[in-house]
Amino acid sequence: MPAQMLPSTGLMSRVHPEGPGDQPDLGTRAASATRPVLPPRPDGDPGLVDRFGRRAVDLRVSLTERCNLRCTYCMPAEGLPFAPDAALMSADEIARLVGLGARELGIRKVRFTGGEPLLRKDLVDVVARSAAAHPDLELSLTTNAIGLASRAAALRAAGLHRLNVSLDTVDPDVFAEVTRRPFLDRVLEGIAAAADAGLGVKINAVLLRGVNDHLAADLLAWCLERGHELRFIEQMPLDPGHAWNATTMITAAQIRDLLAADYSLTPDEAPRNGAPAERYRVRSRATGADLGTVGVIASITESFCGDCTRTRLTADGHVRSCLFSDDETDLLGALRAGADDQAVLDRWRRAMWAKPRDHGDDTDGLVHPTRGMSAIGG
């Protein structure tokens, strides 16, 4: 199976038009590991199971590769050559795949990501169609909240339940340094509008050494005061320029140390249930008061791959079974070629059966994927 050119990066990746098969593939990827010979998938299980006993029930759907920020850990200052709109899934195609996932594959949660999904003019329609596809779906959105103030109420009415807002600091100067844009006021307006509309709000933050790490406790205080759960995320090797370095990354242990002067953290007793964040109860060291919770997503140093419940669709309609793996299976091409529902479902199931053990392969290595986060979807 030949490698294909990724439209957003100019790099090569293994894309499976018919879904991963049972034989090793020697296509190009960002690490030297190759896919092992796979045992046959068990008959009779309609869900998205893999060889390691995991079951995907959480679908991440990227809606666009475009973004209106240029965060230093995600995208170069000049941006990237994004895929043309015609190559991306339409609202109808998204609704069809979401509906199939919910009705036939056991999907229970859908999170729309990007890029920046608010740049989709039809976002409200995408949410409404997905909500109509299955009444029990939990719908959420990962966003930078720029432009959210004018759309939060409509998104809530369309069926959206909650938001994850990417916000690394509430210091205007540091925000502009990290994102290369002076838009903090727009982000804060969007968060306030979302809360007013009745949407649950979580804040996602990446700490960068020497940039915003000294402000970690301040950001937590800001979130606790407003009732927003903050989740610190270890910086991951998902930058298209491959500048990520494990020796400069701020680890989960270091994040907890940064908070320790002001807060006492106690592991939350609620079950994690495959969630990426390890949650902690937060108490004030000064008063002992219970202030709320904080999460830490330790994708690198405290891997939770063994409990992963996620499957992903890129904006151009490819299944990615693992955030770090370059293996992709084209569902959008199948839809546009006239494939029936069963053919699409079979292709999706085969893609997830080949899901690697962790971090992109079946070894103890760490794959640095060729696509960046803006192209994969968070």
Side-chain angles (χ1 to χ4, degrees):
M1 193 283 305
Q4 287 189 5
M5 189 70 72
L6 297 176
S8 61
T9 64
L11 298 172
M12 304 299 285
S13 178
R14 296 186 304 192
V15 180
H16 303 275
E18 297 299 333
D22 293 337
Q23 298 302 318
D25 185 288
L26 300 179
T28 303
R29 63 183 303 169
S32 60
T34 58
R35 180 166 16 94
V37 175
L38 302 180
R41 188 182 184 280
D43 294 331
D45 192 326
L48 295 175
V49 296
D50 66 34
R51 298 167 289 146
F52 304 98
R54 298 168 297 193
R55 183 178 299 274
V57 296
D58 181 347
L59 171 61
R60 308 291 173 91
V61 182
S62 180
L63 301 183
T64 181
E65 299 179 359
R66 300 178 184 276
C67 190
N68 41 15
L69 297 180
R70 294 293 181 267
C71 295
T72 56
Y73 54 83
C74 183
M75 194 179 296
E78 65 276 14
L80 292 167
F82 303 118
D85 289 346
L88 306 185
M89 295 183 290
S90 68
D92 282 339
E93 290 162 340
I94 293 167
R96 180 178 172 189
L97 291 173
V98 167
L100 285 174
R103 293 189 302 271
E104 305 294 339
L105 300 176
I107 295 298
R108 292 294 171 260
K109 299 179 181 180
V110 177
R111 182 187 299 181
F112 299 109
T113 71
E116 176 44 55
L118 284 169
L119 294 179
R120 285 276 300 233
K121 294 181 179 179
D122 61 351
L123 176 59
V124 172
D125 186 40
V126 168
V127 172
R129 289 171 184 251
S130 298
H134 197 284
D136 297 329
L137 277 178
E138 178 185 321
L139 302 179
S140 62
L141 180 75
T142 295
T143 175
N144 62 30
I146 296 171
L148 180 61
S150 62
R151 303 175 78 181
L155 287 167
R156 181 70 184 96
L160 195 70
H161 296 95
R162 59 182 179 84
L163 300 169
N164 288 50
V165 179
S166 300
L167 178 64
D168 301 318
T169 179
V170 289
D171 180 294
D173 293 332
V174 178
F175 180 91
E177 180 181 357
V178 173
T179 67
R180 303 187 178 102
R181 298 291 187 272
F183 295 157
L184 178 61
D185 55 340
R186 302 187 198 180
V187 175
L188 300 184
E189 289 171 3
I191 292 171
D196 289 344
L199 290 163
V201 177
K202 293 182 179 180
I203 305 297
N204 292 345
V206 175
L207 295 182
L208 304 174
R209 195 174 302 280
V211 179
N212 65 337
D213 52 335
H214 64 294
L215 298 172
D218 293 341
L219 181 59
L220 177 55
W222 186 90
C223 291
L224 291 170
E225 289 169 4
R226 290 158 179 80
H228 306 323
E229 181 174 308
L230 173 61
R231 292 120 57 85
F232 290 106
I233 305 174
E234 287 184 337
Q235 185 184 359
M236 294 179 280
L238 295 169
D239 56 311
H242 289 199
W244 178 88
N245 188 322
T247 63
T248 60
M249 176 192 71
I250 297 179
T251 68
Q254 292 167 343
I255 291 168
R256 293 188 288 264
D257 287 344
L258 287 168
L259 303 177
D262 298 293
Y263 302 105
S264 174
L265 304 183
T266 305
D268 190 51
E269 295 181 356
R272 191 165 173 177
N273 293 330
E278 182 74 28
R279 299 173 78 238
Y280 299 87
R281 297 301 309 179
V282 180
R283 291 185 179 274
S284 168
R285 287 203 179 276
T287 68
D290 188 332
L291 303 176
T293 59
V294 66
V296 178
I297 300 178
S299 303
I300 306 302
T301 64
E302 299 170 12
S303 170
F304 43 86
C305 295
D307 295 320
C308 181
T309 60
R310 284 163 290 288
T311 183
R312 300 172 185 276
L313 288 175
T314 62
D316 54 358
H318 291 78
V319 175
R320 287 181 74 102
S321 64
C322 173
L323 182 62
F324 292 94
S325 173
D326 273 336
D327 278 332
E328 296 188 357
T329 299
D330 184 7
L331 297 190
L332 182 58
L335 292 185
R336 293 182 176 178
D340 62 18
D341 288 351
Q342 193 57 54
V344 173
L345 290 167
D346 288 346
R347 188 174 295 194
W348 201 339
R349 291 186 183 109
R350 289 197 301 271
M352 293 305 296
W353 180 246
K355 182 182 178 79
R357 189 186 72 189
D358 58 48
H359 288 147
D361 63 28
D362 289 350
T363 73
D364 292 326
L366 177 65
V367 173
H368 194 152
T370 49
R371 289 224 215 193
M373 178 62 92
S374 63
I376 297 170

